[in-house]
Amino acid sequence: MPQISNEIADPGWFESQRRRVFHLLRTKLGVDRPIAFTVLARVWASFAGLATLILIAHFLTPAEQGYYYTFGSLVALQIVFELGFSFVILQLASHERAHLTISSAGEISGDKIAHARLASILQKAVRWYSSAAILLAIFLILAGSHFFLTHSQTATPVHWRLPWYATAIAAAITFQLDPVLSFMEGCGYVANIARVRFGQVAIGNALAWIALISHRGLFTPAMMILGNICVSGTWLFRRRRLLLGLLRYRVGLHRIHWGSEVWSFQWRIAVSWLCGYFIFQLYNPVLFAYQGAVAAGQMGMSLSLASAIQSISISWMNTKAAPFGSMIARKEYAQLDHVFFRTLTQSFTVCAVGSALAWGIAIYLNWAHLRIANRILSPSSLGILLIGTMLNNIVFAQALYLRAHKQEKFLLNSVLGAVLVGCSTYFLGRAYGAFGMVTGTLMVGLLMGLPLGTYTFFKYRRLWHAQ
């Protein structure tokens, strides 16, 4: 029987190796606890998404696949009501949290003014989102019904009404919960929220698979959102002592004065978020209307693949949003820059490797003449889409860095991007389909998006830190 060396048999050896691995992950790859949970959630989401793609290809017709992905694009219209408020809430909370201590029992100590301002942020968020959620549900049901009734081109009828109503109502409910999660992330619960996101993905996908396997495929979006509601609602209920304490706190004269302190930041973020719809969510409705549900389904599945790659890679940057705000509040600019540039390098590397791998798989699927290859874009169109995804990774990081200063300087970038991408998507999509869309978007990114974004980033970084 082979002998095990005393060194390896020693429990201390295993502990030292474990610490060495964790040290490597932290120092070389930048994987701390929040990133680990976020990446775990998004890696799981990617593998689960692949399973979902296979189930969609098996249980949904090509036309139903088009409806499925167009559901998602229409639900994204909630940005008209959200207007980037969640991001503003996160940044405001992180700046006030820098002067406070929150115990594990939910008790807050520290600067009284910061305490009152933190409570004011949550109270404002709850009031706004409670009203907007009702309007959102009504808007989505009516707008979606009108779109599908007007543009349905399928020979075989698709029963979309009840699934769409369920999706719209579920989206309105989670619309109320997401800003509270953003608030808690700004309060320092970054790792906790990352775990919540993982739970949302796991439960949401499980419910989605049940819907697909039981031949209720168009209910899949509603079931996925329902999983998000269950997980986030449970976690927030367990933090009710902290949340209720802040909601009941008398802020007095120290409330956040939205008009004078926040509105100049808020409306710019709102316009930028709204422009994001025309940049990222217009593909499927245009293809659905002018090229048919099958073409929209191919684009939707390809966008899901690109979004999964970007979602994983941007985890490195997203988890730094709240810490960036706290560093800025304490004027720790050298540390801020060190963390940002290191994180950007790590994030872009992950995005580039993931994109290359996805493109290689697409080429193989077409070479092997596998049926699933017909459910996604051609390798040439997909490759162009993935190059655009890598450019977006850089621009997103630059925008997040500047927005952590509670300033929105990417407004011009967003408006120009929305106008140019929206026009190219509409006109090139009508004439040349998906290939024209992704080519037009890439040209906008190369000629305007990345150059203007980089100029804006370095200009304001230099000005603000010099002051």
Side-chain angles (χ1 to χ4, degrees):
M1 185 174 179
Q3 298 293 318
I4 301 176
S5 69
N6 292 332
E7 179 185 13
I8 298 179
D10 182 10
W13 182 86
F14 288 104
E15 178 63 21
S16 66
Q17 294 304 307
R18 184 185 70 83
R19 291 180 178 177
R20 183 178 301 174
V21 171
F22 285 148
H23 178 73
L24 175 65
L25 290 173
R26 284 194 304 269
T27 57
K28 301 298 183 183
L29 300 180
V31 181
D32 54 17
R33 285 185 64 207
I35 291 178
F37 282 116
T38 304
V39 171
L40 179 62
R42 294 179 179 179
V43 167
W44 163 257
S46 299
F47 284 108
L50 179 60
T52 302
L53 296 183
I54 295 172
L55 291 174
I56 288 172
H58 181 74
F59 289 103
L60 296 185
T61 66
E64 287 176 331
Q65 178 179 318
Y67 275 85
Y68 171 88
Y69 285 112
T70 305
F71 274 17
S73 294
L74 293 179
V75 165
L77 282 169
Q78 66 181 295
I79 200 167
V80 174
F81 297 85
E82 204 274 339
L83 297 177
F85 200 6
S86 289
F87 183 82
V88 173
I89 291 168
L90 187 153
Q91 291 302 328
L92 292 175
S94 70
H95 279 253
E96 302 305 329
R97 170 67 175 80
H99 308 290
L100 297 169
T101 300
I102 302 177
S103 71
S104 58
E107 297 176 351
I108 300 177
S109 58
D111 186 80
K112 298 296 183 183
I113 296 178
H115 189 170
R117 288 170 63 84
L118 187 69
S120 177
I121 295 166
L122 180 61
Q123 292 168 14
K124 180 73 172 181
V126 170
R127 284 196 299 270
W128 163 248
Y129 279 92
S130 296
S131 302
I134 299 173
L135 299 176
L136 174 64
I138 297 171
F139 172 78
L140 287 178
I141 290 173
L142 295 179
S145 298
H146 175 74
F147 179 84
F148 290 121
L149 286 171
T150 304
H151 297 290
S152 179
Q153 301 177 7
T154 57
T156 304
V158 176
H159 301 288
W160 56 267
R161 291 180 182 272
L162 192 56
W164 172 245
Y165 298 158
T167 301
I169 293 171
I173 296 173
T174 195
F175 177 79
Q176 292 181 285
L177 299 177
D178 280 345
V180 185
L181 292 178
S182 295
F183 174 83
M184 294 296 283
E185 186 173 356
C187 287
Y189 291 88
V190 180
N192 303 76
I193 299 301
R195 285 198 296 269
V196 170
R197 301 296 186 197
F198 173 71
Q200 287 179 322
V201 171
I203 301 300
N205 277 289
L207 294 177
W209 295 339
I210 292 173
L212 285 166
I213 293 171
S214 61
H215 299 282
R216 297 292 184 269
L218 288 185
F219 281 96
T220 300
M223 297 300 288
M224 193 169 294
I225 298 173
L226 178 62
N228 295 347
I229 294 170
C230 293
V231 175
S232 58
T234 300
W235 187 81
L236 290 173
F237 179 77
R238 292 174 178 171
R239 303 299 185 280
R240 63 188 182 277
R241 181 174 180 179
L242 171 62
L243 294 171
L244 290 175
L246 288 169
L247 288 173
R248 295 167 180 167
Y249 193 86
R250 293 182 177 273
V251 297
L253 298 176
H254 302 301
R255 69 177 65 251
I256 292 282
H257 297 285
W258 217 263
S260 59
E261 297 184 57
V262 184
W263 179 242
S264 62
F265 178 42
Q266 168 75 60
W267 78 261
R268 289 177 172 85
I269 285 286
V271 174
S272 295
W273 255 240
L274 188 59
C275 290
Y277 182 87
F278 293 95
I279 297 174
F280 301 112
Q281 298 293 340
L282 203 58
Y283 296 132
N284 287 337
V286 171
L287 283 176
F288 190 100
Y290 295 106
Q291 302 290 333
V294 175
Q298 292 173 334
M299 175 61 79
M301 189 169 284
S302 302
L303 285 173
S304 293
L305 181 62
S307 297
I309 295 169
Q310 182 161 330
S311 179
I312 293 173
S313 62
I314 211 66
S315 301
W316 271 255
M317 194 60 64
N318 264 335
T319 55
K320 298 295 187 297
F324 282 171
S326 296
M327 291 177 198
I328 293 165
R330 294 190 291 263
K331 301 187 185 302
E332 299 170 347
Y333 297 136
Q335 182 181 0
L336 172 69
D337 285 349
H338 173 73
V339 174
F340 172 78
F341 287 109
R342 183 188 65 190
T343 304
L344 176 59
T345 301
Q346 295 161 346
S347 176
F348 182 78
T349 301
V350 172
C351 186
V353 171
S355 297
L357 180 61
W359 191 55
I361 292 173
I363 292 175
Y364 170 76
L365 293 176
N366 280 268
W367 174 79
H369 301 290
L370 297 179
R371 188 175 64 176
I372 195 174
N374 297 322
R375 293 297 187 97
I376 60 175
L377 296 176
S378 66
S380 58
S381 296
L382 181 62
I384 294 171
L385 178 65
L386 292 172
I387 293 173
T389 299
M390 290 188 283
L391 295 183
N392 289 335
N393 181 276
I394 299 174
V395 176
F396 178 91
Q398 294 171 338
L400 185 143
Y401 178 98
L402 297 186
R403 288 166 180 162
H405 294 74
K406 295 195 294 186
Q407 298 282 341
E408 175 49 68
K409 297 302 180 181
F410 265 67
L411 179 62
L412 177 62
N413 311 53
S414 299
V415 172
L416 285 177
V419 171
L420 295 175
V421 171
C423 289
S424 70
T425 295
Y426 179 76
F427 291 108
L428 296 179
R430 289 187 65 175
Y432 303 105
F435 182 80
M437 284 183 170
V438 296
T439 301
T441 301
L442 179 60
M443 289 299 100
V444 173
L446 286 172
L447 300 177
M448 189 282 295
L450 184 60
L452 182 57
T454 302
Y455 169 78
T456 304
F457 169 76
F458 281 107
K459 173 185 176 180
Y460 287 102
R461 170 177 167 266
R462 183 180 65 254
L463 287 175
W464 292 341
H465 293 188
Q467 293 172 357

